[in-house]
Amino acid sequence: MTRTGRDADGTEPEPRNGERPAYFVQSLERGLKIIKAFDETRPQMTSTEVSKATGLDRAATRRFLLTLVDLGYMVTDGRLYALRPRILELGYAYLSSLSLPDVALPHMEQLVTEIHESCSIGVLDGDEVVFVARVPTKRLMSVPIMVGSRFPAYPTSMGRVLLAGQPEERLDAYLSSVRLEAHTRRTVTDPAKLRSLITRVRTQGWAIVDQEYDEGTRSVAMPIHDSTGRVVAAINVSMLSGRGTAQSMRDFLPVIERAVAQIEADLRPGFRGQEMGLLG
């Protein structure tokens, strides 16, 4: 902070309540906040709109935006700002540090060849599942999901598998804080019922979710363990509801189980999800 009470970037400091450590760089936090303000509903914004979306001062917002433009992460026509493809480098830095996608992809490709349905691998990040690897089926009608996509954990098969792999105290914390919204008419929004379903997944070792997050899409998932036996990721197969029933998805379990065994065997020489930054 300067003598005027402002941060070095000229913006007013946010209240710290004595909680933040001395090394905390608030400018970095604000820059990331601006990047995260852009999404599929707001692909382009003026500096004023970004200021409103982030709660940051207009002048500071404009400086951050112009800096991101200079760095090549954003583009502007003088009024509207939008993210550039280079922003993907930030996510790729994380993905490229993982051995899991590289190890898993050949086995996922073989699985997709056998069953002709799409396959994905995801990890738990807070309350969401982040897709870190995906092999889509070669079909005109398929579910458009990309690496880096994020979905809430509770209405998805991978999410329930990952939640089932959590210690009981973390699961308790999740269920007591998560907001259970109905994405479709089938979404389970009762905490007690959700806990029961997760407990069942923990026992049986797999989860099938029938159109709870997206009408017309079913999926089945199983856990992937690291060398310590800890659940660090989940693999799933998804398909359009018109191609089969939820019950018929059980037929995929032996093939998925074989793919999981192959992936875990390749990961065994020292792979630990916690060390690699995977949140399980």
Side-chain angles (χ1 to χ4, degrees), residues 28-56 61 64-65 68 74 81-83 87 90:
L28 177 58
E29 177 191 38
R30 290 168 175 165
L32 293 173
K33 184 181 290 187
I34 285 177
I35 291 173
K36 291 166 66 176
F38 291 82
D39 56 27
E40 60 182 9
T41 64
R42 298 180 298 196
Q44 296 181 321
M45 287 189 282
T46 64
S47 60
T48 299
E49 290 170 335
V50 176
S51 175
K52 290 180 179 178
T54 59
L56 300 177
T61 296
F64 281 119
L65 287 168
L68 288 167
M74 301 197 74
Y81 293 83
L83 298 176
I87 204 73
L90 302 179

Side-chain angles (χ1 to χ4, degrees), residues 62-104:
R62 185 171 181 274
R63 288 196 296 274
F64 281 119
L65 287 168
L66 291 175
T67 299
L68 288 167
V69 169
D70 288 347
L71 292 173
Y73 293 116
M74 301 197 74
V75 63
T76 181
D77 61 4
R79 177 176 172 273
L80 291 172
Y81 293 83
L83 298 176
R84 291 189 61 191
R86 187 175 183 181
I87 204 73
L88 295 174
E89 292 178 357
L90 302 179
Y92 182 74
Y94 165 72
L95 292 176
S96 63
S97 70
L98 301 178
S99 63
L100 177 57
D102 290 336
V103 167

